[in-house]
Amino acid sequence: MRLFIMKIGIYISGLGQSFENESVEKYAARLVNEMEYNTNRMKYSIKSEKISYRKDRFCTVVSILKEQQNPQVIYKLYSFNYHEILTEKFISYALLLKSFYLLVLVITKVPILVERVFIKNYYNRPGQTLYIFGIFGIIALATVFMIPNLIVSLQNDNTFQQGIITFKNLFSLQSYDIPFISVLGLKKTMTTCGIITSLIVLVIPNANTLVTTLATEFVCANNYLEFGLQRQEIQGNLEKLVDYISENEDNPSIHFHTYSFGSILALDYIFPFGANHSNNAKNHIEALITIGTPFEFIQSYYPDFYKERKIDLGNIILWVNIYSIVDALATNFRTDAQVGEAQFGMGLSSNRPINFNYEANPVKTDRLIDFLFLYSIRVHGTYWDSRSSQGKSCLCYVYEVFEEKQYFSGN
């Protein structure tokens, strides 16, 4: 008698996915699309439910069913929602304070950003990264500049002017000693701030929301990678979800379906630092899918993050990596920026991912206009249409591998 094995996926999205209204239901729907494209006279449906895998922590469970007289569950996907945990200590800060933290982060990263322009360390787009950090700095400055704008708005107030005069007389200061106190200095600051803020508002849709989201998630991701903040909490919750699945599903084999920063969390779990793998991880983790993983970006700008990793589990699982050669954040696990088989994996691990190149559009040569308008960053969002769960997507490769391995059979 064959032992029934239920195949279970854990979906871990990237940063900013809540802003784009991405969800495990959409991911499941895209996977169903690929199943229907590749089978004749077969129909599939999805069913969702909410479960609590620990106190105050919830996730969505999506079952994929084969439509027949007695519908059969052929695959399940659990969502792992880490965004709230990652940002919970930072999200309550005021916009001005968030922008200040973002500005400080950009300034502290300047040395390594400049260094990587000359010493690439396998990462192939350091110039684009330097440019992006410059944009982050401008966005942060535009918000921080609200302070001098406020001062300018008060300069016509008699009480405020009298306060400035008293301050100058008290310390025997001339207007040129502190330029921002002079009327001329205030006007120059106001003009500069107005230009920068206007450009941000005109060029970037929903600028206020974007600044808040950007500052929160980018700073919190940096704190996770650089200082390990919220790392134990996130990895502990992921361990608890794996534990819940192992106890509540029939002899499950677990697959991680990950996108962007979500893949870093999964790699952090499968190749842990310090602690050994749990029995549940060793007994049930079977596969890892990384889509647009910023592995090389993090290895280049956070060189200590992947050091001294346990590789036992990572050596035996199936690892599928989907990337775009144009995507500035994705990793092809090669020493060049070419399409081909992976040349390395995690540290000393002998397991190299199975590479699949996915391009939604023809690959463009490097053009100045593409550089300025961040084409290589925007490509990071083209592995599927974020506005809809319909249409083709990079999950065609996930289906291809899963069908070959019979992961949808339930046996």
Side-chain angles (χ1 to χ4, degrees):
M1 181 178 177
R2 297 181 63 186
L3 181 64
F4 180 84
I5 300 175
M6 188 66 208
K7 305 295 185 179
I8 305 293
I10 296 178
Y11 171 69
I12 312 178
S13 68
L15 289 173
Q17 295 300 287
S18 56
F19 182 72
E20 296 179 358
N21 199 29
E22 196 58 45
S23 66
V24 66
E25 289 95 338
K26 282 188 176 182
Y27 185 90
R30 295 183 186 109
L31 191 54
V32 165
N33 287 342
E34 298 300 333
M35 296 167 70
E36 292 185 341
Y37 295 153
N38 289 278
T39 55
N40 293 323
R41 299 179 182 179
M42 292 286 187
K43 291 295 181 182
Y44 303 89
S45 61
I46 61 175
K47 182 177 68 174
S48 301
E49 62 177 322
K50 299 284 186 182
I51 62 104
S52 173
Y53 64 92
R54 70 179 304 174
K55 184 180 180 180
D56 298 329
R57 296 297 178 193
F58 302 89
C59 78
T60 301
V61 183
V62 179
S63 299
I64 299 177
L65 299 93
K66 180 187 289 186
E67 291 296 326
Q68 51 192 21
Q69 187 173 1
N70 295 311
Q72 176 191 5
V73 176
I74 60 172
Y75 201 76
K76 283 186 179 182
L77 282 162
Y78 284 70
S79 65
F80 178 63
N81 305 313
Y82 65 91
H83 304 81
E84 181 181 344
I85 305 172
L86 183 68
T87 62
E88 64 184 1
K89 292 185 178 180
F90 189 80
I91 200 167
S92 61
Y93 293 173
L95 176 60
L96 184 61
L97 189 56
K98 290 178 180 178
S99 299
F100 176 76
Y101 273 105
L102 179 60
L103 181 60
V104 170
L105 171 57
V106 170
I107 293 172
T108 58
K109 284 294 178 185
V110 167
I112 195 168
L113 288 168
V114 175
E115 179 185 339
R116 286 293 174 260
V117 172
F118 301 99
I119 306 174
K120 294 185 178 181
N121 193 27
Y122 295 153
Y123 183 65
N124 296 300
R125 291 184 176 86
Q128 186 80 89
T129 304
L130 181 62
Y131 177 56
I132 293 167
F133 270 77
I135 292 175
F136 287 169
I138 291 173
I139 292 173
L141 276 172
T143 307
V144 173
F145 279 168
M146 290 179 182
I147 295 176
N149 270 328
L150 177 62
I151 296 174
V152 169
S153 68
L154 292 172
Q155 68 173 314
N156 293 323
D157 182 86
N158 292 330
T159 304
F160 181 74
Q161 286 187 351
Q162 186 61 45
I164 291 178
I165 294 172
T166 302
F167 180 83
K168 289 181 178 180
N169 292 336
L170 181 63
F171 293 97
S172 301
L173 296 173
Q174 301 297 323
S175 62
Y176 55 79
D177 290 325
I178 304 180
F180 63 82
I181 289 181
S182 69
V183 173
L184 180 60
L186 289 171
K187 287 183 177 180
K188 287 182 177 180
T189 303
M190 179 180 64
T191 302
T192 303
C193 294
I195 292 172
I196 293 176
T197 305
S198 298
L199 285 174
I200 295 296
V201 172
L202 287 173
V203 174
I204 302 177
N206 303 317
N208 184 48
T209 304
L210 178 61
V211 169
T212 302
T213 304
L214 173 69
T216 299
E217 296 190 335
F218 188 69
V219 172
C220 291
N222 174 80
N223 289 342
Y224 181 97
L225 298 167
E226 191 82 58
F227 309 111
L229 296 183
Q230 300 300 96
R231 187 174 176 181
Q232 290 176 309
E233 180 74 11
I234 290 173
Q235 291 298 320
N237 274 272
L238 184 53
E239 185 73 75
K240 189 64 179 178
L241 180 56
V242 170
D243 178 63
Y244 177 91
I245 293 171
S246 67
E247 291 181 354
N248 291 274
E249 300 288 355
D250 294 329
N251 194 29
S253 291
I254 298 175
H255 311 144
F256 284 106
H257 296 251
T258 67
Y259 169 65
S260 194
F261 190 75
S263 65
I264 302 305
L265 302 183
L267 287 167
D268 206 7
Y269 178 82
I270 293 172
F271 298 93
F273 169 81
N276 293 320
H277 297 98
S278 68
N279 288 332
N280 285 328
K282 290 185 288 187
N283 294 333
H284 298 290
I285 304 300
E286 182 178 48
L288 167 66
I289 296 94
T290 53
I291 302 171
T293 177
F295 180 93
E296 288 180 9
F297 175 89
I298 290 171
Q299 184 168 259
S300 184
Y301 294 99
Y302 300 88
D304 295 330
F305 184 73
Y306 295 124
K307 289 182 177 179
E308 301 180 18
R309 296 287 180 156
K310 302 288 177 65
I311 62 176
D312 306 36
L313 177 60
N315 274 341
I316 62 174
I317 65 169
L318 173 71
W319 182 0
V320 175
N321 180 61
I322 302 173
Y323 68 96
S324 165
I325 204 68
V326 186
D327 184 356
L329 295 177
T331 302
N332 64 353
F333 291 94
R334 295 176 55 86
T335 57
D336 55 38
Q338 302 299 318
V339 175
E341 294 182 357
Q343 297 174 334
F344 60 88
M346 169 70 81
L348 299 176
S349 173
S350 60
N351 190 7
R352 299 174 184 175
I354 302 171
N355 264 352
F356 289 97
N357 173 242
Y358 180 81
E359 306 295 344
N361 299 295
V363 175
K364 296 182 179 180
T365 56
D366 292 333
R367 301 183 302 179
L368 179 60
I369 190 169
D370 293 331
F371 179 88
L372 293 176
F373 284 90
L374 301 175
Y375 177 75
S376 62
I377 296 298
R378 289 186 284 116
V379 168
H380 192 62
T382 62
Y383 292 97
W384 46 65
D385 187 346
S386 62
R387 297 166 299 179
S388 170
S389 58
Q390 303 301 313
K392 297 289 288 182
S393 72
C394 72
L395 298 192
C396 58
Y397 293 124
V398 176
Y399 170 81
E400 180 181 318
V401 173
F402 276 29
E403 184 65 16
E404 178 184 344
K405 299 291 183 180
Q406 296 186 339
Y407 285 169
F408 293 126
S409 65
N411 296 315

